[in-house]
Amino acid sequence: MRDIRPKNRVLALGSAGALVTATLIAGAVAAPAANADSRPGQDREARGAAVAAARAAQAGIDWQDCPADWGLAKPIQCGYVSVPLDYAHPDGKQIKLAVDRIGNTGTKSERQGALIYNPGGPGGSGLRFPARVTAKNPVWANAAKAYDFVGFDPRGVGHSTPISCIDPQESVKAPKMDPVPDSEADKRAQRKLAREYADGCLERTGSAMLQQMTTPNTARDLDVIRAALGEKKINYLGVSYGTYLGAVYGTLFPDHVRRMIVDSVVDPSRDNIWYEANLNQDVAFEGRWKDWQDWVAANDASYHLGTTRDAVQAKWLQLRATAKKNPIGGVVGPAELLGFFQSAPYYDSSWAPVAKVFSKYFAGDTQALVDAAAPDMSDTAGNISSENGNAVYTAVECTDAKWPTSWNKWDRDNTRLNAKYPFLTWSNAWMNLPCATWPVKQQTPVNVRTGKGLPQVLIVQSTRDAATPYQGAVELHKRFQGSRLITEKDAGSHGVTGLVNPCINNRVDAYLLTGEVDGTDVTCAPHATPKP
């Protein structure tokens, strides 16, 4: 379900204030809302979260200039928040979470608190969020006047007690197996890789940490960060998987939310988390892949790849077959191609860059494709980050929910889908297959719903999103009473609030600055189509 899939892992497949009070803040010791049909032990975890939040409120955050190698220049500040590894045992082992912030750009009287961000994943770092202010991003200028922009690395990610499942340099070696199997032997080989990957997560991370890599725990961490910031309630912006984190937070801590925006929404239904979510993603990716091909065909004067979708698809299949027979540059096979090309159905901003490389290849320039799609073995820091992101993605999705253990089910479902939706299906299957042999206990997802005190939530979604299909926004809209849905029609870029579309931007600003939403749901025309 990952929203920013790095090109590097492709088993087959492989996105950013005020002084903190040192006194115990109001609300810090309030236990999260009980969820009647949640799993046993959650009451203990709720109490543990309240204890941890109270401690964090007293401790605050020791803000400092960020470490030089974090790439976050002044006036952005960095610090750490301690949280329990296991909220059922708040006096047990603690882990540190990296947080950063930049104060609001307006006056003291204009300040409305902290706006905390999660970019998705699971496995994405939010530490770049304050850089939207230092970069003077115009879309966020109004919000920046009112809010401190706060980012964090979720548990297991980046600078927050990072986890690992495989040697990072080994993880990026190429070429990898073609994700589309030609035989039962190919499937057996991929199944072996998936089992080894799951075993590697246990070996390199340990069962104690792996067992606690869940969305509910990350939501509890978010509440501890809230308390450490000295905030009674949080303002939250979540994109992609960040919407599911927000949905779980809003369910567990409804009266700790002041404003919440969720953008490009994961369907929070229990039966969708996470196996069905990935199957649904395969269908949506095929549709958005075709949208991109239509655009490439319409701009044939620039790309010379064909004037129809079918012609562009034929070029893709030709490239894929060539790379399968003889990996391009010795390193770019079908798996690496997919790692690069899949960014086009994810983000409109990738439409032109991907098309340009595609076009150059057929004009005789193979190096551009190798540079774009092959791993960079010399980028050890980037490879560590990529491997870590994949490890967290796998750990959270595999531990959050129970997955099918029957290979026959996986084989049947993905064979059926691949017949009609071949672009992503098998690669997505192999990426998630470690969950079938996951070595720690799998949980039952939170029943996302409205709790006492939850304010109006603003939901933003494009109709043709590939990574989080539109149904997810509709489902969360039903579950969060009083929420408002802004639909960007006939668009499909993943992550809508960061794009220039005044119909959306103005409403996001109005909500953040005043709390006001439209009286009814709103449909917006799409943002501008990319130019070649």
Side-chain angles (χ1 to χ4, degrees), residues 470-490:
Y470 184 72
Q471 173 58 30
V474 175
E475 182 64 30
L476 184 61
H477 188 25
K478 279 191 224 164
R479 287 168 178 261
F480 274 178
Q481 293 168 16
S483 60
R484 281 288 172 265
L485 172 59
I486 301 174
T487 298
E488 189 184 28
K489 193 176 180 185
D490 300 326

Side-chain angles (χ1 to χ4, degrees), residues 298-322:
N299 290 286
D300 185 59
S302 296
Y303 301 119
H304 315 293
L305 291 164
T307 58
T308 65
R309 179 200 297 170
D310 287 348
V312 177
Q313 174 71 359
K315 288 286 197 208
W316 161 249
L317 294 175
Q318 181 184 340
L319 172 59
R320 203 184 182 291
T322 300

Side-chain angles (χ1 to χ4, degrees), residues 386-400:
S386 175
E387 190 279 324
N388 168 244
N390 277 310
V392 175
Y393 166 86
T394 308
V396 172
E397 292 209 0
C398 293
T399 311
D400 259 359

Side-chain angles (χ1 to χ4, degrees), residues 3 14 19 36 46-47 58 95 99 113 123 149 162 241 248 287 291 319 329 333 353 375 377 395 413 445 463 502:
D3 61 303
L19 292 172
R47 286 192 293 272
Q58 291 181 308
I95 59 175
V99 295
F149 277 27
Y241 165 78
V248 171
D291 290 349
L319 172 59
M377 301 301 293
D413 288 347
T463 55

Side-chain angles (χ1 to χ4, degrees), residues 25-39:
I25 61 170
V29 293
N35 198 357
D37 51 356
S38 56
R39 65 187 177 82

Side-chain angles (χ1 to χ4, degrees), residues 71-124:
L72 299 164
K74 290 193 286 188
I76 298 171
Q77 296 178 300
C78 291
Y80 287 96
V81 174
S82 290
V83 299
L85 173 63
D86 179 356
Y87 279 95
H89 300 95
D91 296 321
K93 180 176 174 158
Q94 308 291 302
I95 59 175
K96 288 189 178 300
L97 306 180
V99 295
D100 68 344
R101 71 163 183 187
I102 190 166
N104 72 303
T105 61
T107 63
K108 188 175 179 182
S109 64
E110 286 178 289
R111 184 179 179 275
Q112 296 193 42
L115 177 62
I116 308 179
Y117 174 70
N118 180 273

Side-chain angles (χ1 to χ4, degrees), residues 279 411-421 425-426:
L279 298 181
D411 193 18
R412 185 173 64 248
D413 288 347
N414 287 282
T415 299
R416 173 180 55 81
L417 275 178
N418 184 70
K420 285 182 71 176
Y421 313 103
T425 295
W426 275 115

